[in-house]
Amino acid sequence: MLDNVRLLVEWAPLLGYARRLSSATDEAQRADAIGDAIEWLASKTDNRLDDELARRIAAVLRTAEGAALAGWIVDKATELEKT
């Protein structure tokens, strides 16, 4: 039981990112939440390459084009969820 609680506490920030994503009111907020989640997930490994890749992906998502891409992905995922 203690291991389960520890696991929940360790991964709780991911729930916060999901909450931010679901409450985002525009594409820029969605992209920011996705970028932060990607960077956080990459930080959970000891591999510096994925940290750098995550930072670059997050930077792209924070551009207007990246925000539009993130919005499109979320919209498509929502559509798939409804079917």
Side-chain angles (χ1 to χ4, degrees):
M1 170 104 165
L2 188 57
D3 287 337
N4 290 340
V5 171
R6 190 174 311 141
L7 187 63
L8 179 62
V9 169
E10 183 179 344
W11 289 90
L14 203 53
L15 296 173
Y17 296 122
R19 188 176 316 117
R20 281 179 49 203
L21 179 60
S22 67
S23 67
T25 57
D26 62 32
E27 290 178 341
Q29 289 178 345
R30 288 179 186 164
D32 196 42
I34 293 169
D36 287 346
I38 290 170
E39 288 181 299
W40 182 82
L41 284 168
S43 75
K44 300 300 285 176
T45 69
D46 292 329
N47 186 336
R48 290 188 357 214
L49 180 62
D50 69 350
D51 294 342
E52 184 178 342
L53 178 61
R55 277 192 301 277
R56 291 174 183 271
I57 290 170
V60 168
L61 288 174
R62 290 182 177 108
T63 67
E65 294 84 3
L69 174 62
W72 180 82
I73 291 169
V74 170
D75 290 344
K76 292 302 173 191
T78 302
E79 287 175 17
L80 287 173
E81 189 176 272
K82 291 179 182 178
T83 60

